[in-house]
PDB file of all heavy atoms in Angstrom:
ATOM      1  N   LEU S 634      68.157 113.586 291.025  1.00  0.00           N
ATOM      2  CA  LEU S 634      67.037 114.474 290.757  1.00  0.00           C
ATOM      3  C   LEU S 634      66.895 115.527 291.855  1.00  0.00           C
ATOM      4  O   LEU S 634      66.699 116.713 291.577  1.00  0.00           O
ATOM      5  CB  LEU S 634      65.746 113.664 290.623  1.00  0.00           C
ATOM      6  CG  LEU S 634      64.469 114.447 290.350  1.00  0.00           C
ATOM      7  CD1 LEU S 634      64.558 115.203 289.029  1.00  0.00           C
ATOM      8  CD2 LEU S 634      63.265 113.512 290.342  1.00  0.00           C
ATOM      9  N   VAL S 635      67.000 115.100 293.113  1.00  0.00           N
ATOM     10  CA  VAL S 635      66.895 116.040 294.228  1.00  0.00           C
ATOM     11  C   VAL S 635      68.046 117.040 294.185  1.00  0.00           C
ATOM     12  O   VAL S 635      67.846 118.250 294.368  1.00  0.00           O
ATOM     13  CB  VAL S 635      66.871 115.293 295.580  1.00  0.00           C
ATOM     14  CG1 VAL S 635      66.936 116.289 296.739  1.00  0.00           C
ATOM     15  CG2 VAL S 635      65.617 114.425 295.693  1.00  0.00           C
ATOM     16  N   LEU S 636      69.250 116.560 293.928  1.00  0.00           N
ATOM     17  CA  LEU S 636      70.401 117.453 293.825  1.00  0.00           C
ATOM     18  C   LEU S 636      70.240 118.425 292.658  1.00  0.00           C
ATOM     19  O   LEU S 636      70.656 119.593 292.745  1.00  0.00           O
ATOM     20  CB  LEU S 636      71.688 116.644 293.656  1.00  0.00           C
ATOM     21  CG  LEU S 636      72.180 115.928 294.917  1.00  0.00           C
ATOM     22  CD1 LEU S 636      73.267 114.914 294.559  1.00  0.00           C
ATOM     23  CD2 LEU S 636      72.714 116.941 295.938  1.00  0.00           C
ATOM     24  N   HIS S 637      69.646 117.949 291.579  1.00  0.00           N
ATOM     25  CA  HIS S 637      69.400 118.807 290.423  1.00  0.00           C
ATOM     26  C   HIS S 637      68.516 119.988 290.821  1.00  0.00           C
ATOM     27  O   HIS S 637      68.797 121.134 290.439  1.00  0.00           O
ATOM     28  CB  HIS S 637      68.723 117.978 289.324  1.00  0.00           C
ATOM     29  CG  HIS S 637      68.417 118.741 288.076  1.00  0.00           C
ATOM     30  ND1 HIS S 637      69.221 118.702 286.962  1.00  0.00           N
ATOM     31  CD2 HIS S 637      67.385 119.560 287.761  1.00  0.00           C
ATOM     32  CE1 HIS S 637      68.704 119.475 286.016  1.00  0.00           C
ATOM     33  NE2 HIS S 637      67.578 119.990 286.474  1.00  0.00           N
ATOM     34  N   GLU S 638      67.476 119.716 291.595  1.00  0.00           N
ATOM     35  CA  GLU S 638      66.580 120.784 292.016  1.00  0.00           C
ATOM     36  C   GLU S 638      67.216 121.682 293.071  1.00  0.00           C
ATOM     37  O   GLU S 638      67.114 122.911 292.997  1.00  0.00           O
ATOM     38  CB  GLU S 638      65.277 120.189 292.581  1.00  0.00           C
ATOM     39  CG  GLU S 638      64.521 119.263 291.650  1.00  0.00           C
ATOM     40  CD  GLU S 638      64.132 119.914 290.346  1.00  0.00           C
ATOM     41  OE1 GLU S 638      63.872 121.129 290.327  1.00  0.00           O
ATOM     42  OE2 GLU S 638      64.097 119.196 289.319  1.00  0.00           O
ATOM     43  N   VAL S 639      67.881 121.062 294.056  1.00  0.00           N
ATOM     44  CA  VAL S 639      68.371 121.827 295.209  1.00  0.00           C
ATOM     45  C   VAL S 639      69.716 122.497 294.923  1.00  0.00           C
ATOM     46  O   VAL S 639      69.844 123.723 295.019  1.00  0.00           O
ATOM     47  CB  VAL S 639      68.484 120.920 296.451  1.00  0.00           C
ATOM     48  CG1 VAL S 639      69.069 121.706 297.623  1.00  0.00           C
ATOM     49  CG2 VAL S 639      67.120 120.357 296.824  1.00  0.00           C
ATOM     50  N   GLU S 640      70.719 121.697 294.601  1.00  0.00           N
ATOM     51  CA  GLU S 640      72.047 122.286 294.371  1.00  0.00           C
ATOM     52  C   GLU S 640      72.078 123.058 293.058  1.00  0.00           C
ATOM     53  O   GLU S 640      72.724 124.101 292.958  1.00  0.00           O
ATOM     54  CB  GLU S 640      73.127 121.201 294.341  1.00  0.00           C
ATOM     55  CG  GLU S 640      74.527 121.805 294.224  1.00  0.00           C
ATOM     56  CD  GLU S 640      75.615 120.759 294.126  1.00  0.00           C
ATOM     57  OE1 GLU S 640      75.313 119.592 293.814  1.00  0.00           O
ATOM     58  OE2 GLU S 640      76.781 121.122 294.336  1.00  0.00           O
ATOM     59  N   GLY S 641      71.378 122.524 292.059  1.00  0.00           N
ATOM     60  CA  GLY S 641      71.377 123.192 290.768  1.00  0.00           C
ATOM     61  C   GLY S 641      70.528 124.447 290.768  1.00  0.00           C
ATOM     62  O   GLY S 641      71.040 125.569 290.750  1.00  0.00           O
ATOM     63  N   HIS S 642      69.219 124.280 290.828  1.00  0.00           N
ATOM     64  CA  HIS S 642      68.314 125.409 290.631  1.00  0.00           C
ATOM     65  C   HIS S 642      68.148 126.296 291.868  1.00  0.00           C
ATOM     66  O   HIS S 642      68.080 127.524 291.739  1.00  0.00           O
ATOM     67  CB  HIS S 642      66.951 124.906 290.169  1.00  0.00           C
ATOM     68  CG  HIS S 642      67.003 124.163 288.871  1.00  0.00           C
ATOM     69  ND1 HIS S 642      67.829 124.542 287.827  1.00  0.00           N
ATOM     70  CD2 HIS S 642      66.338 123.053 288.427  1.00  0.00           C
ATOM     71  CE1 HIS S 642      67.661 123.719 286.810  1.00  0.00           C
ATOM     72  NE2 HIS S 642      66.775 122.803 287.154  1.00  0.00           N
ATOM     73  N   LYS S 643      68.078 125.704 293.063  1.00  0.00           N
ATOM     74  CA  LYS S 643      67.855 126.519 294.255  1.00  0.00           C
ATOM     75  C   LYS S 643      69.128 127.228 294.703  1.00  0.00           C
ATOM     76  O   LYS S 643      69.128 128.445 294.897  1.00  0.00           O
ATOM     77  CB  LYS S 643      67.289 125.658 295.393  1.00  0.00           C
ATOM     78  CG  LYS S 643      65.850 125.228 295.175  1.00  0.00           C
ATOM     79  CD  LYS S 643      65.347 124.292 296.258  1.00  0.00           C
ATOM     80  CE  LYS S 643      65.206 124.926 297.601  1.00  0.00           C
ATOM     81  NZ  LYS S 643      64.465 124.041 298.552  1.00  0.00           N
ATOM     82  N   LEU S 644      70.209 126.476 294.870  1.00  0.00           N
ATOM     83  CA  LEU S 644      71.449 127.077 295.362  1.00  0.00           C
ATOM     84  C   LEU S 644      71.978 128.138 294.397  1.00  0.00           C
ATOM     85  O   LEU S 644      72.445 129.201 294.813  1.00  0.00           O
ATOM     86  CB  LEU S 644      72.507 126.002 295.587  1.00  0.00           C
ATOM     87  CG  LEU S 644      73.872 126.498 296.101  1.00  0.00           C
ATOM     88  CD1 LEU S 644      73.720 127.157 297.467  1.00  0.00           C
ATOM     89  CD2 LEU S 644      74.865 125.344 296.173  1.00  0.00           C
ATOM     90  N   HIS S 645      71.895 127.853 293.109  1.00  0.00           N
ATOM     91  CA  HIS S 645      72.385 128.804 292.115  1.00  0.00           C
ATOM     92  C   HIS S 645      71.337 129.845 291.721  1.00  0.00           C
ATOM     93  O   HIS S 645      71.583 130.670 290.841  1.00  0.00           O
ATOM     94  CB  HIS S 645      72.873 128.050 290.874  1.00  0.00           C
ATOM     95  CG  HIS S 645      74.151 127.305 291.093  1.00  0.00           C
ATOM     96  ND1 HIS S 645      74.186 126.014 291.595  1.00  0.00           N
ATOM     97  CD2 HIS S 645      75.429 127.664 290.898  1.00  0.00           C
ATOM     98  CE1 HIS S 645      75.439 125.617 291.687  1.00  0.00           C
ATOM     99  NE2 HIS S 645      76.220 126.598 291.278  1.00  0.00           N
ATOM    100  N   ARG S 646      70.168 129.773 292.347  1.00  0.00           N
ATOM    101  CA  ARG S 646      69.099 130.763 292.166  1.00  0.00           C
ATOM    102  C   ARG S 646      68.764 130.990 290.687  1.00  0.00           C
ATOM    103  O   ARG S 646      68.601 132.128 290.224  1.00  0.00           O
ATOM    104  CB  ARG S 646      69.487 132.074 292.856  1.00  0.00           C
ATOM    105  CG  ARG S 646      69.513 131.965 294.367  1.00  0.00           C
ATOM    106  CD  ARG S 646      69.966 133.215 295.039  1.00  0.00           C
ATOM    107  NE  ARG S 646      71.416 133.366 294.915  1.00  0.00           N
ATOM    108  CZ  ARG S 646      72.142 134.339 295.473  1.00  0.00           C
ATOM    109  NH1 ARG S 646      71.527 135.264 296.168  1.00  0.00           N
ATOM    110  NH2 ARG S 646      73.426 134.393 295.329  1.00  0.00           N
ATOM    111  N   HIS S 647      68.662 129.890 289.965  1.00  0.00           N
ATOM    112  CA  HIS S 647      68.385 129.976 288.533  1.00  0.00           C
ATOM    113  C   HIS S 647      67.080 130.691 288.221  1.00  0.00           C
ATOM    114  O   HIS S 647      66.967 131.392 287.216  1.00  0.00           O
ATOM    115  CB  HIS S 647      68.343 128.562 287.928  1.00  0.00           C
ATOM    116  CG  HIS S 647      69.697 127.965 287.751  1.00  0.00           C
ATOM    117  ND1 HIS S 647      69.907 126.624 287.510  1.00  0.00           N
ATOM    118  CD2 HIS S 647      70.930 128.525 287.760  1.00  0.00           C
ATOM    119  CE1 HIS S 647      71.194 126.379 287.387  1.00  0.00           C
ATOM    120  NE2 HIS S 647      71.834 127.517 287.548  1.00  0.00           N
ATOM    121  N   LEU S 648      66.074 130.492 289.084  1.00  0.00           N
ATOM    122  CA  LEU S 648      64.740 131.017 288.774  1.00  0.00           C
ATOM    123  C   LEU S 648      64.638 132.524 288.969  1.00  0.00           C
ATOM    124  O   LEU S 648      63.690 133.146 288.488  1.00  0.00           O
ATOM    125  CB  LEU S 648      63.684 130.306 289.620  1.00  0.00           C
ATOM    126  CG  LEU S 648      63.205 128.926 289.157  1.00  0.00           C
ATOM    127  CD1 LEU S 648      62.488 129.011 287.828  1.00  0.00           C
ATOM    128  CD2 LEU S 648      64.334 127.916 289.073  1.00  0.00           C
ATOM    129  N   THR S 649      65.599 133.110 289.676  1.00  0.00           N
ATOM    130  CA  THR S 649      65.607 134.563 289.836  1.00  0.00           C
ATOM    131  C   THR S 649      66.759 135.195 289.055  1.00  0.00           C
ATOM    132  O   THR S 649      66.565 136.190 288.353  1.00  0.00           O
ATOM    133  CB  THR S 649      65.710 134.954 291.321  1.00  0.00           C
ATOM    134  OG1 THR S 649      66.829 134.279 291.923  1.00  0.00           O
ATOM    135  CG2 THR S 649      64.438 134.573 292.071  1.00  0.00           C
ATOM    136  N   THR S 650      67.940 134.596 289.145  1.00  0.00           N
ATOM    137  CA  THR S 650      69.101 135.150 288.448  1.00  0.00           C
ATOM    138  C   THR S 650      68.880 135.225 286.949  1.00  0.00           C
ATOM    139  O   THR S 650      69.265 136.197 286.290  1.00  0.00           O
ATOM    140  CB  THR S 650      70.350 134.300 288.734  1.00  0.00           C
ATOM    141  OG1 THR S 650      70.587 134.264 290.142  1.00  0.00           O
ATOM    142  CG2 THR S 650      71.574 134.873 288.026  1.00  0.00           C
ATOM    143  N   TRP S 651      68.250 134.187 286.384  1.00  0.00           N
ATOM    144  CA  TRP S 651      68.098 134.101 284.934  1.00  0.00           C
ATOM    145  C   TRP S 651      66.652 134.313 284.488  1.00  0.00           C
ATOM    146  O   TRP S 651      66.270 133.900 283.402  1.00  0.00           O
ATOM    147  CB  TRP S 651      68.611 132.749 284.432  1.00  0.00           C
ATOM    148  CG  TRP S 651      70.015 132.461 284.839  1.00  0.00           C
ATOM    149  CD1 TRP S 651      70.442 131.429 285.615  1.00  0.00           C
ATOM    150  CD2 TRP S 651      71.186 133.208 284.496  1.00  0.00           C
ATOM    151  NE1 TRP S 651      71.810 131.482 285.792  1.00  0.00           N
ATOM    152  CE2 TRP S 651      72.297 132.564 285.106  1.00  0.00           C
ATOM    153  CE3 TRP S 651      71.423 134.362 283.729  1.00  0.00           C
ATOM    154  CZ2 TRP S 651      73.599 133.038 284.971  1.00  0.00           C
ATOM    155  CZ3 TRP S 651      72.719 134.832 283.604  1.00  0.00           C
ATOM    156  CH2 TRP S 651      73.792 134.183 284.215  1.00  0.00           C
ATOM    157  N   ALA S 652      65.860 134.990 285.305  1.00  0.00           N
ATOM    158  CA  ALA S 652      64.463 135.229 284.937  1.00  0.00           C
ATOM    159  C   ALA S 652      64.350 136.011 283.633  1.00  0.00           C
ATOM    160  O   ALA S 652      63.416 135.793 282.851  1.00  0.00           O
ATOM    161  CB  ALA S 652      63.753 135.980 286.067  1.00  0.00           C
ATOM    162  N   HIS S 653      65.308 136.901 283.370  1.00  0.00           N
ATOM    163  CA  HIS S 653      65.237 137.684 282.128  1.00  0.00           C
ATOM    164  C   HIS S 653      65.417 136.811 280.898  1.00  0.00           C
ATOM    165  O   HIS S 653      64.898 137.129 279.824  1.00  0.00           O
ATOM    166  CB  HIS S 653      66.291 138.800 282.144  1.00  0.00           C
ATOM    167  CG  HIS S 653      67.707 138.318 282.180  1.00  0.00           C
ATOM    168  ND1 HIS S 653      68.271 137.726 283.304  1.00  0.00           N
ATOM    169  CD2 HIS S 653      68.682 138.330 281.229  1.00  0.00           C
ATOM    170  CE1 HIS S 653      69.526 137.410 283.051  1.00  0.00           C
ATOM    171  NE2 HIS S 653      69.801 137.761 281.805  1.00  0.00           N
ATOM    172  N   LEU S 654      66.134 135.689 281.050  1.00  0.00           N
ATOM    173  CA  LEU S 654      66.289 134.767 279.924  1.00  0.00           C
ATOM    174  C   LEU S 654      64.977 134.059 279.625  1.00  0.00           C
ATOM    175  O   LEU S 654      64.645 133.808 278.458  1.00  0.00           O
ATOM    176  CB  LEU S 654      67.383 133.733 280.219  1.00  0.00           C
ATOM    177  CG  LEU S 654      68.776 134.275 280.485  1.00  0.00           C
ATOM    178  CD1 LEU S 654      69.761 133.126 280.726  1.00  0.00           C
ATOM    179  CD2 LEU S 654      69.260 135.162 279.337  1.00  0.00           C
ATOM    180  N   PHE S 655      64.240 133.737 280.661  1.00  0.00           N
ATOM    181  CA  PHE S 655      62.923 133.122 280.478  1.00  0.00           C
ATOM    182  C   PHE S 655      62.000 134.052 279.704  1.00  0.00           C
ATOM    183  O   PHE S 655      61.212 133.613 278.871  1.00  0.00           O
ATOM    184  CB  PHE S 655      62.310 132.777 281.836  1.00  0.00           C
ATOM    185  CG  PHE S 655      60.859 132.400 281.760  1.00  0.00           C
ATOM    186  CD1 PHE S 655      60.473 131.153 281.320  1.00  0.00           C
ATOM    187  CD2 PHE S 655      59.870 133.304 282.120  1.00  0.00           C
ATOM    188  CE1 PHE S 655      59.131 130.800 281.243  1.00  0.00           C
ATOM    189  CE2 PHE S 655      58.526 132.976 282.041  1.00  0.00           C
ATOM    190  CZ  PHE S 655      58.160 131.716 281.607  1.00  0.00           C
ATOM    191  N   GLU S 656      62.094 135.341 279.972  1.00  0.00           N
ATOM    192  CA  GLU S 656      61.246 136.300 279.270  1.00  0.00           C
ATOM    193  C   GLU S 656      61.567 136.317 277.780  1.00  0.00           C
ATOM    194  O   GLU S 656      60.683 136.568 276.953  1.00  0.00           O
ATOM    195  CB  GLU S 656      61.431 137.702 279.873  1.00  0.00           C
ATOM    196  CG  GLU S 656      61.032 137.821 281.341  1.00  0.00           C
ATOM    197  CD  GLU S 656      59.549 137.647 281.564  1.00  0.00           C
ATOM    198  OE1 GLU S 656      58.778 137.782 280.590  1.00  0.00           O
ATOM    199  OE2 GLU S 656      59.144 137.382 282.714  1.00  0.00           O
ATOM    200  N   ILE S 657      62.817 136.047 277.438  1.00  0.00           N
ATOM    201  CA  ILE S 657      63.219 136.021 276.026  1.00  0.00           C
ATOM    202  C   ILE S 657      62.759 134.735 275.363  1.00  0.00           C
ATOM    203  O   ILE S 657      62.136 134.748 274.295  1.00  0.00           O
ATOM    204  CB  ILE S 657      64.750 136.164 275.899  1.00  0.00           C
ATOM    205  CG1 ILE S 657      65.210 137.509 276.474  1.00  0.00           C
ATOM    206  CG2 ILE S 657      65.188 136.023 274.439  1.00  0.00           C
ATOM    207  CD1 ILE S 657      66.705 137.637 276.589  1.00  0.00           C
ATOM    208  N   ASP S 658      63.075 133.576 276.001  1.00  0.00           N
ATOM    209  CA  ASP S 658      62.702 132.281 275.431  1.00  0.00           C
ATOM    210  C   ASP S 658      62.711 131.242 276.550  1.00  0.00           C
ATOM    211  O   ASP S 658      63.784 130.839 277.016  1.00  0.00           O
ATOM    212  CB  ASP S 658      63.671 131.873 274.315  1.00  0.00           C
ATOM    213  CG  ASP S 658      63.194 130.659 273.544  1.00  0.00           C
ATOM    214  OD1 ASP S 658      63.156 129.558 274.133  1.00  0.00           O
ATOM    215  OD2 ASP S 658      62.867 130.797 272.351  1.00  0.00           O
ATOM    216  N   ALA S 659      61.533 130.822 276.979  1.00  0.00           N
ATOM    217  CA  ALA S 659      61.416 129.907 278.114  1.00  0.00           C
ATOM    218  C   ALA S 659      62.063 128.561 277.831  1.00  0.00           C
ATOM    219  O   ALA S 659      62.719 127.971 278.698  1.00  0.00           O
ATOM    220  CB  ALA S 659      59.949 129.723 278.481  1.00  0.00           C
ATOM    221  N   GLU S 660      61.886 128.043 276.619  1.00  0.00           N
ATOM    222  CA  GLU S 660      62.441 126.733 276.272  1.00  0.00           C
ATOM    223  C   GLU S 660      63.962 126.735 276.377  1.00  0.00           C
ATOM    224  O   GLU S 660      64.554 125.842 276.986  1.00  0.00           O
ATOM    225  CB  GLU S 660      62.017 126.342 274.863  1.00  0.00           C
ATOM    226  CG  GLU S 660      62.623 125.010 274.392  1.00  0.00           C
ATOM    227  CD  GLU S 660      62.411 124.767 272.902  1.00  0.00           C
ATOM    228  OE1 GLU S 660      61.893 125.649 272.208  1.00  0.00           O
ATOM    229  OE2 GLU S 660      62.807 123.682 272.451  1.00  0.00           O
ATOM    230  N   CYS S 661      64.586 127.746 275.783  1.00  0.00           N
ATOM    231  CA  CYS S 661      66.047 127.811 275.814  1.00  0.00           C
ATOM    232  C   CYS S 661      66.571 128.061 277.225  1.00  0.00           C
ATOM    233  O   CYS S 661      67.617 127.535 277.613  1.00  0.00           O
ATOM    234  CB  CYS S 661      66.547 128.907 274.872  1.00  0.00           C
ATOM    235  SG  CYS S 661      66.326 128.524 273.117  1.00  0.00           S
ATOM    236  N   ALA S 662      65.837 128.859 278.012  1.00  0.00           N
ATOM    237  CA  ALA S 662      66.242 129.117 279.389  1.00  0.00           C
ATOM    238  C   ALA S 662      66.174 127.839 280.216  1.00  0.00           C
ATOM    239  O   ALA S 662      67.068 127.544 281.023  1.00  0.00           O
ATOM    240  CB  ALA S 662      65.362 130.200 280.000  1.00  0.00           C
ATOM    241  N   ASN S 663      65.111 127.054 280.035  1.00  0.00           N
ATOM    242  CA  ASN S 663      64.979 125.783 280.747  1.00  0.00           C
ATOM    243  C   ASN S 663      66.129 124.852 280.412  1.00  0.00           C
ATOM    244  O   ASN S 663      66.751 124.238 281.290  1.00  0.00           O
ATOM    245  CB  ASN S 663      63.655 125.107 280.381  1.00  0.00           C
ATOM    246  CG  ASN S 663      62.458 125.771 281.022  1.00  0.00           C
ATOM    247  OD1 ASN S 663      62.582 126.467 282.023  1.00  0.00           O
ATOM    248  ND2 ASN S 663      61.293 125.581 280.441  1.00  0.00           N
ATOM    249  N   LYS S 664      66.403 124.726 279.121  1.00  0.00           N
ATOM    250  CA  LYS S 664      67.471 123.831 278.689  1.00  0.00           C
ATOM    251  C   LYS S 664      68.828 124.282 279.214  1.00  0.00           C
ATOM    252  O   LYS S 664      69.644 123.467 279.664  1.00  0.00           O
ATOM    253  CB  LYS S 664      67.503 123.758 277.167  1.00  0.00           C
ATOM    254  CG  LYS S 664      66.397 122.937 276.541  1.00  0.00           C
ATOM    255  CD  LYS S 664      66.615 122.832 275.035  1.00  0.00           C
ATOM    256  CE  LYS S 664      65.645 121.862 274.389  1.00  0.00           C
ATOM    257  NZ  LYS S 664      65.898 121.701 272.941  1.00  0.00           N
ATOM    258  N   ALA S 665      69.092 125.587 279.124  1.00  0.00           N
ATOM    259  CA  ALA S 665      70.392 126.108 279.536  1.00  0.00           C
ATOM    260  C   ALA S 665      70.674 125.818 281.005  1.00  0.00           C
ATOM    261  O   ALA S 665      71.782 125.399 281.376  1.00  0.00           O
ATOM    262  CB  ALA S 665      70.461 127.605 279.262  1.00  0.00           C
ATOM    263  N   ALA S 666      69.672 126.039 281.863  1.00  0.00           N
ATOM    264  CA  ALA S 666      69.843 125.777 283.294  1.00  0.00           C
ATOM    265  C   ALA S 666      70.114 124.303 283.550  1.00  0.00           C
ATOM    266  O   ALA S 666      70.910 123.944 284.429  1.00  0.00           O
ATOM    267  CB  ALA S 666      68.599 126.228 284.055  1.00  0.00           C
ATOM    268  N   ASP S 667      69.472 123.431 282.774  1.00  0.00           N
ATOM    269  CA  ASP S 667      69.674 121.990 282.951  1.00  0.00           C
ATOM    270  C   ASP S 667      71.027 121.528 282.438  1.00  0.00           C
ATOM    271  O   ASP S 667      71.695 120.696 283.069  1.00  0.00           O
ATOM    272  CB  ASP S 667      68.561 121.215 282.247  1.00  0.00           C
ATOM    273  CG  ASP S 667      67.292 121.137 283.081  1.00  0.00           C
ATOM    274  OD1 ASP S 667      67.288 121.705 284.192  1.00  0.00           O
ATOM    275  OD2 ASP S 667      66.313 120.524 282.636  1.00  0.00           O
TER     276      ASP S 667
END
């Protein structure tokens, strides 16, 4: 779980790199990053 948050979302900057995907569809953006 910690690696998922840190190596996955933080290191790969999912919350900024893919912010435009969230604007289109938050559910699909969440799933895709996971």
Side-chain angles (χ1 to χ4, degrees):
L634 180 61
V635 173
L636 286 167
H637 180 99
E638 303 302 328
V639 177
E640 185 183 18
H642 299 322
K643 288 176 68 169
L644 180 62
H645 288 87
R646 291 177 284 184
H647 284 165
L648 279 295
T649 52
T650 302
W651 305 119
H653 63 289
L654 300 181
F655 168 77
E656 298 293 341
I657 298 171
D658 190 292
E660 177 191 5
C661 290
N663 286 339
K664 285 185 172 183
D667 279 1

